[in-house]
Amino acid sequence: RSTYHPAAFPGKNITLKFADEDHIAIVQDNGDAYFGTFVNLRQMASDAKNVVLSEDGDKIAVLEKSALEIFSLRDSDPTDEKYFRFVLPKMEAVERLLWYRDSQHLFIGYADKAMFLDLKDTRMESLGEVAPSGKFEYEPDQNQLYFLKDNKVFSLDFSK
């Protein structure tokens, strides 16, 4: 019989996400965000609101009160950037993040709109609104963004 003695954390855990069978991400009510294995968690941020893992498990987006940070979790592609940091417009109003299927773009959710961010565009020159609603979901297999507006469901094709 094996016994596991979990690490103690100073705050209250509010979010738990699994990256794969060995890795987890935790966000606490004090803003601390941790990522790693069950026995080796390391702190990634100190003012986090949420974390979102990319579908391929290669990246983690940390939504903080003051910035959006993206960390590469794998060393699979030596040409891939390992870290990104963005201060988005009205950063404090960002409510959610969703990964686009290529793990190089993110949907940024505000209460009244969805924006689309290209991680390689560090100056955010191409950051633009893609839906006039903060109520949206992305379906990667169909490459469709669905959103609610005026009691109707709309879809946006992201053919690329």
Side-chain angles (χ1 to χ4, degrees), residues 7-130:
F9 294 103
K12 178 182 172 188
N13 297 328
I14 59 172
T15 302
L16 173 67
K17 306 263 175 108
F18 288 88
D20 55 35
E21 62 273 355
D22 296 322
H23 295 86
I24 60 171
I26 295 173
V27 177
Q28 298 192 301
D29 63 349
N30 63 3
D32 289 347
Y34 299 89
F35 181 80
T37 64
F38 290 104
V39 294
N40 186 22
L41 288 169
R42 65 182 172 92
Q43 187 172 355
M44 299 182 79
S46 61
D47 70 342
K49 298 192 302 187
N50 200 1
V51 295
V52 182
L53 296 150
S54 63
E55 285 288 322
D56 59 13
D58 285 349
K59 292 183 179 68
I60 186 169
V62 181
L63 177 59
E64 300 172 345
K65 295 172 185 138
S66 60
L68 167 63
E69 291 187 296
I70 313 295
F71 299 90
S72 178
L73 302 175
R74 313 257 191 262
D75 294 328
S76 56
D77 185 356
T79 64
D80 196 21
E81 293 286 332
K82 305 294 181 218
Y83 174 79
F84 300 92
R85 185 174 193 279
F86 298 94
V87 178
L88 300 166
K90 299 183 182 174
M91 190 70 227
E92 69 285 348
V94 175
E95 295 182 349
R96 63 190 291 230
L97 305 170
L98 287 177
W99 281 100
Y100 182 70
R101 67 182 183 181
D102 66 1
S103 298
Q104 298 298 317
H105 298 82
L106 274 167
F107 294 100
I108 312 295
Y110 293 85
D112 61 345
K113 63 185 168 187
M115 307 284 282
F116 195 62
L117 174 68
D118 180 347
L119 299 185
K120 295 199 171 115
D121 180 17
T122 57
R123 297 173 129 191
M124 296 185 294
E125 293 172 336
S126 65
L127 177 68
E129 184 176 317
V130 292

